[in-house]
Amino acid sequence: PKAGGLTAVVDWFKPRGCKPKDLLLPVLGTMLGYLALHVVDSLLAATVPGASCFVPHLGAVAVLLFCAPAAPFSQPRNVLLGHLVATLAAVLSFNALGTTLPLSLGRGASLATSIVAMQVFGALHPPAAAFAALYYGSAPLHDLGYKVLLYPGLVGAAVLLVVQKVAMKLIEAFSSE
């Protein structure tokens, strides 16, 4: 059949296939990761009003860590330093611009600043940029002040990194038997 038209569309949607063992880290890591985030979130809630480790961008962090652990964006330095510098850039952008710009432009400035910061430090991590864009329009995150440098992004990403290492060791230990 021709490579165009309906055949091309149907082919585009065909499963590409993966082995069941390739799903072990994503499933185990994500489930354990979000369980660990729940525990940390409970501890944070008891000590820091308004702090939470459940923010949307951590889902993207989980995809990178558990589905593409060898990717440059998934390396500990990129994940941790990327979160730190992107969040700092977002905070500084918001502090400099406040609400003088329309929200979309403010978010764009925050995002651009965070990308530049991650590039300068050689620590690109796309979910950290997503958090920077989220931060600009989020009053509850602004209320955290500079504590936002730690949580939810940095602490949440660190928790997922630890779980990734543990899950990989568990899978390695059980698959070698």
Side-chain angles (χ1 to χ4, degrees):
K2 289 177 22 177
L6 185 58
T7 302
V9 172
V10 171
D11 285 347
W12 194 78
F13 283 100
K14 281 186 181 174
R16 301 293 185 232
C18 68
K19 298 173 188 132
K21 71 175 187 152
D22 295 335
L23 300 174
L24 194 54
L25 181 59
V27 171
L28 180 66
T30 301
M31 295 301 291
L32 290 176
Y34 269 69
L35 177 63
L37 284 174
H38 173 73
V39 170
V40 171
D41 200 60
S42 297
L43 295 171
L44 271 177
T47 56
V48 184
S52 176
C53 281
F54 288 106
V55 286
H57 86 287
L58 289 177
V61 174
V63 170
L64 288 174
L65 293 179
F66 303 124
C67 296
F73 298 142
S74 302
Q75 300 312 301
R77 183 178 189 281
N78 286 44
V79 174
L80 298 175
L81 187 58
H83 268 93
L84 185 63
V85 299
T87 304
L88 180 59
V91 170
L92 295 176
S93 291
F94 182 78
N95 288 347
L97 300 172
T99 56
T100 59
L101 296 175
L103 183 58
S104 58
L105 289 177
R107 279 192 170 145
S110 179
L111 181 57
T113 306
S114 72
I115 291 170
V116 168
M118 288 187 290
Q119 284 279 47
V120 166
F121 283 91
L124 283 173
H125 184 63
F131 182 73
L134 173 73
Y135 174 83
Y136 198 88
S138 175
L141 291 174
H142 303 159
D143 292 345
L144 290 171
Y146 283 97
K147 292 177 194 167
V148 77
L149 294 174
L150 297 176
Y151 39 79
L154 186 61
V155 168
V159 167
L160 292 176
L161 263 172
V162 169
V163 170
Q164 178 210 43
K165 301 304 178 199
V166 170
M168 289 173 74
K169 291 286 184 192
L170 285 171
I171 291 168
E172 181 183 313
F174 284 104
S175 63
S176 64
E177 291 180 1

